[in-house]
Amino acid sequence: MAGPTAGFEVVEGVRTHVLRGGDGPPLLFLHGANGGRWLPFMDKLAERFEVIAPEHPGFGRSDTPDWLDSVRDLGHFYQAFMEKLGLSDVTLVGTSLGGWIAAETTLRNAARLRALVLVAAGGVRVKGVRKGDLFLWSQEELTRNLVHDPALAERMLSAPVTEEDRNIGLKNRLMTARLAWSPRLYDPELEKWLHRIATPTLVLWGREDKLIPCAYAERFREMIPHARVRVFDSCGHLPHVEKTDEYVSEIIAFSEGARP
Amino acid sequence: MKFFLFHLMPYADLDLSAPDKYNSSWVTLPNSYYDPKKGHLLYNRYLDELELGDELGFDGVCVNEHHANAYGMMPQPGVLAGALARRTKNVKIALLGRALPLVNNPITIAEEFAILDNITGGRFIAGFVRGIGAEYFSWNANPAFSHERFMEAHDLIIQAWTRTGPFAFEGKHFNFDYVNLWPRPYQDPHPPIWIPSQGSTETIEWASHPDRRYTYLQTFSPLSALQKYMKQYKDSAESYGWEAGPANLGWATPIYVGETDEIAYREAKPHIENFYQKFLKMPLEMLLPPGYLSLKSMQGVMAAKQQVAVGARDIDAVMASGMFLCGSPKTIRDQLKRHQQEIGFGQVLSMLQFGTLPADLTRKNIELYAREVIAPLRAEEQAARAAAE
């Protein structure tokens, strides 16, 4: 495909940067702490969906509104976002922090959703299973801990970093801390009500995830008993990068199956 | 110049291989390295050292707050200040300071400070800080809310000290229906407030505001930074329409006085190097968690790739930058006078124990400093004042 188009939408007073590509039913992708660049897996998804990939308020090229204090705020924001864009029959995909936001969004109102896909999602806690400390890891440790394949980590570490990338990285890190420092990467309120999710739900995880260990996939299965859970072997926290083909086929098949 | 005896109370018996093994003396350094029997001796020794400051005529003594580390063993500094409140008779007691954003109820700090002010009959100086970055890991406080929590906690404490209670406080982070401080502070309207900082434009503009005029302290910084931030404070005060004097500006720095320059250098070298290289050791991510600095400041730091992490700093480097004053009494007197004249600070917070500096050398340092540095400088100032009159 020709690549995504970039633009801004003003939602709840926030000038929000949005990448869009492809044709088909809408797939709203909510990025993780690292930010919302267009990645190769999105091109593959764009062969079947219209992929809509906003940068969250407070991240990347989007504004940082005064009201943004928590992931709950973003749950409300994405309700407003779908309303503003007139989206329906949405396949909502969220990875890591984005998975947490997707769960919050779904709990508020699922009427516009066809399916929910949670990938290595934050938002809950399994007592005794510690998450990695992404704030204490150096950039190099973080990169190595995010993926299972050391050669991939090397490639990611040797990629050039522009000044703009670095500044956006700091902005994303700041907002991630604001949203997820304490309690670290979860919200006890979310855990109480996850069982209310009735939207068809797919949970994807990497077996070797060092940031949010795979035990969390089981926790989501317990709380959303109708969910399909798929764990990828030899895969870390970024299945969309490390297991692109399987990841894309899982989402396409699941979304097809959930078609109204 | 006013002379304060500043102490960090480090765990001086630390196994010095530990900070390298854990890449930090903070947060992740296991407390199995702390031996309470040694700690018992150290706390009592350090309190003796501060009490000696009272006997030798220092203007004040200072304690401060740090958590989960070997660098400074005063996570609850009010306990130490309380001990000093009864055993000292003349010195000011400066608690520099409590880390406001870490607590969920800032009224505890208003209460603690008010009690100290009452016991000492107004010998108390209140310090407010945000804590260093590592503290946000140890206390699980969100650094992204550090600035706003500091401001709000400050406002609450000042109101608790100055408004007739009970009154309601309606903030974002802190909400109380009945603020009604018992005891009220001894000093009217409240104890002097000092703001220690490593240098921040936002802090300086805030501290120098005419509603506050808080004394600004530059801590453990090169002379170039001291000069820059003291000037910034004076300029800021001027732009607000008032003139900042020496009393508004303080400098906290380690100092070692020996009989000669050579003796001072030889005796201080291993201990000041342990201070800067071992006790301050921590990775950059621990020092500057996201939000601790404003996004703009953080982008500036990363763009300049400044050497913010404290790495290999030997005695020559820290003496050259002015982060350590070391020498004979005359050397120290001359340096303090020259820097004072050039920079204009009036409060000298002398840290006379640092790192592993043992009891005998610390005592000698305190005595030499009091007798050979403070006394002659005071006499000179007095003579100059008399001549001016």
Side-chain angles (χ1 to χ4, degrees), chain A residues 69 137 167 174 177-178 181-182, chain B residues 136 140-143 172 291 299:
Chain A
D69 290 322
W137 288 335
N167 285 341
L174 172 59
R178 192 169 177 94
W181 182 282
S182 174
Chain B
Y136 290 79
N140 204 28
N142 192 333
K172 174 178 173 183
Q299 287 171 342

Side-chain angles (χ1 to χ4, degrees), chain B residues 117-161:
Chain B
D117 202 34
N118 277 260
I119 294 175
T120 57
R123 285 190 286 124
F124 184 69
I125 294 169
F128 296 145
V129 296
R130 293 194 296 117
I132 71 160
E135 253 98 48
Y136 290 79
F137 288 92
S138 297
W139 272 54
N140 204 28
N142 192 333
F145 292 106
S146 171
H147 280 106
E148 54 186 75
R149 282 172 70 92
F150 178 89
M151 293 301 170
E152 199 175 309
H154 163 272
D155 294 349
L156 170 54
I157 291 168
I158 298 297
Q159 288 185 32
W161 280 344

Side-chain angles (χ1 to χ4, degrees), chain B residues 272-293:
Chain B
I272 194 68
E273 290 181 351
N274 286 337
F275 172 69
Y276 277 117
Q277 295 171 12
K278 305 291 183 185
F279 288 86
L280 261 172
K281 187 181 179 72
M282 71 182 74
L284 182 63
E285 287 72 22
M286 200 182 269
L287 183 69
L288 297 175
Y292 183 76
L293 296 180

